[in-house]
Amino acid sequence: MIPAPADRVLVDCAVYDGVGDGVTTDRGIWIDRTGEIRAVGTSDDVLSEARGATVVDMAGAYVMPGLTNMHVHLGLGLPGGMAEAVQRANLAELVLLMADSARQTLHSGVTTVRLVGETRYADFALRKAIDAGAVDGPRIYTAGHALCCTGGHGWDADALEADGADGFRRAVRQQLRAGADLIKVCISGGIAGEHEQIDTPQLTDGEMAAVLEIAHDWGRKVTAHAGPADTIVRAVELGLDCVEHGYELTDDLTRVMAERGVWYVPTITVSRCEQFFIDSGVPGWMMDRALSAGPRHWESLQHALRNGVPIALGSDMPPHAPYDETTATVRELEFMVEAGMPVADALRAATVRPAEWLGAADRIGTIQAGRQADLIALRDDPTRGVSALRTLHLVMKAGRVYRDDTGLTAPRGRR
């Protein structure tokens, strides 16, 4: 991390602000000592306001809001060697493992993450350390432990087991007590559970209703790991806020989701990331299940796109993980566009739309006065194609530079 001066002005930026569809050239961005954006305008206008600030010439670089990844496990432990490493780690080792993933995530241009299942409450300690500036990492919103029934999806990884309505009420309250920003519940089977199938229903209506009741009473949203349409329909009718994966969505279901404002985080990469599974040493049964789910998963995404379901970016793979000569985060966006999402919508799905779901649109997700200076710089224009994100060379969070490949922000004498 490069320490930030009192105030700085980025000049000669080509800005995609997350509000409009295009890029505006010759923009200046005034960032104050707190890491907040004070003003955005022409370079000359901003310079005339920010007298005495350090000037950083961005040399025409494309600047856009930092990315938000809405489906992240910093302590990911897939079946096989990854799970064994996490399970063998003591709490200190686990936090260090997660801190390393957090640092790499931030360097990949992801300045905010939504954690949807960690273990031993290590995520809360890491969030506190990042907020205090002791550790480099993205801004964290976390669900704490995911919740599942006894033997349900994730029971042997990060999920907390419960049974019956009262059991799930208690489990929700335990996450709220720890400081959870949202609640994650597993309502069906999935790819990584050996003794289940994707379409295995795992919660009763009474259990789902209990989770939703307590979370909503406390002002928290609920997102659900879910595969089959019939299980998701029941949860949507009960008031679910968001669906993760949705491997088997239907046209009718996505129409209902759109009408009720239920969000979708497709994680389309997880059913087409064969090399990642090979490199991670996952067992054959998991790889076969994931890849065989791919065609139906793709149809689910297309149903959601066609019917106007609100969609946010989430990779499930580590945000920084190498994938087709880029990162899992960028590849997820490329897949979304390949499935039919307009480029402008894809960019919003990675910036302002997640901020809306998180209730943080007044702080992050756009380049506007009053927002945090979470910025990334690219060589290419992202509004012409999301693959421009492959040209990322600078990452800033709250006004501090965490990556600068070309030395744009270095003091003049050190360039």
Side-chain angles (χ1 to χ4, degrees), residues 121 124 143-147 160 170-183:
Y121 299 98
F124 297 101
H145 281 268
L147 310 180
L160 180 68
R170 176 174 175 78
V172 171
R173 289 177 175 133
Q174 286 175 324
Q175 307 319 301
L176 296 173
R177 179 178 64 188
D181 303 295
L182 64 139
I183 298 298

Side-chain angles (χ1 to χ4, degrees), residues 156-172:
D156 53 350
D158 51 56
L160 180 68
E161 292 175 299
D163 291 297
D166 285 343
F168 275 94
R169 289 188 184 99
R170 176 174 175 78
V172 171

Side-chain angles (χ1 to χ4, degrees), residues 8-242:
R8 62 173 63 181
V9 176
L10 311 184
V11 298
D12 192 15
C13 305
V15 172
Y16 166 72
D17 61 10
V19 180
D21 290 346
V23 164
T24 306
T25 58
D26 186 32
R27 305 306 278 174
I29 305 171
W30 177 8
I31 303 166
D32 70 18
R33 68 190 64 196
T34 71
E36 186 175 287
I37 298 172
R38 287 282 299 278
V40 182
T42 67
S43 294
D44 287 344
D45 287 347
V46 173
L47 283 171
S48 68
E49 291 184 64
R51 296 185 183 279
T54 299
V55 178
V56 178
D57 186 348
M58 296 296 290
Y62 293 91
V63 178
M64 64 175 284
L67 306 177
T68 295
N69 193 313
M70 292 280 276
H71 193 116
V72 175
H73 304 277
L74 290 175
L76 182 65
L78 295 176
M82 293 178 71
E84 293 170 6
V86 170
Q87 291 163 3
R88 284 197 308 267
N90 61 36
L91 186 56
E93 291 167 337
L94 175 63
V95 172
L96 289 172
L97 181 153
M98 293 172 63
D100 178 61
S101 183
R103 177 186 57 80
Q104 293 185 70
T105 292
L106 180 58
H107 287 192
S108 74
V110 176
T111 54
T112 300
V113 294
R114 186 184 67 159
L115 304 184
V116 287
E118 301 293 350
T119 187
R120 288 178 266 174
Y121 299 98
D123 45 323
F124 297 101
L126 179 60
R127 181 177 66 182
K128 183 181 293 185
I130 290 172
D131 289 347
V135 175
D136 291 352
R139 188 171 285 102
I140 287 177
Y141 292 83
T142 185
H145 281 268
L147 310 180
C148 72
C149 65
T150 296
H153 184 78
W155 73 269
D156 53 350
D158 51 56
L160 180 68
E161 292 175 299
D163 291 297
D166 285 343
F168 275 94
R169 289 188 184 99
R170 176 174 175 78
V172 171
R173 289 177 175 133
Q174 286 175 324
Q175 307 319 301
L176 296 173
R177 179 178 64 188
D181 303 295
L182 64 139
I183 298 298
K184 158 83 174 293
V185 62
C186 301
I187 64 175
S188 81
I191 285 172
E194 184 174 7
H195 305 299
E196 63 189 39
Q197 297 299 319
I198 286 174
D199 61 356
T200 304
Q202 295 190 347
L203 264 68
T204 67
D205 286 1
E207 290 169 332
M208 286 191 281
V211 171
L212 291 159
E213 173 194 10
I214 300 302
H216 289 168
D217 282 351
W218 283 67
R220 305 302 199 277
K221 292 178 179 176
V222 178
T223 194
H225 162 99
D230 54 355
T231 300
I232 297 170
V233 166
R234 290 162 44 213
V236 167
E237 290 174 348
L238 291 168
L240 183 67
D241 300 296
C242 186

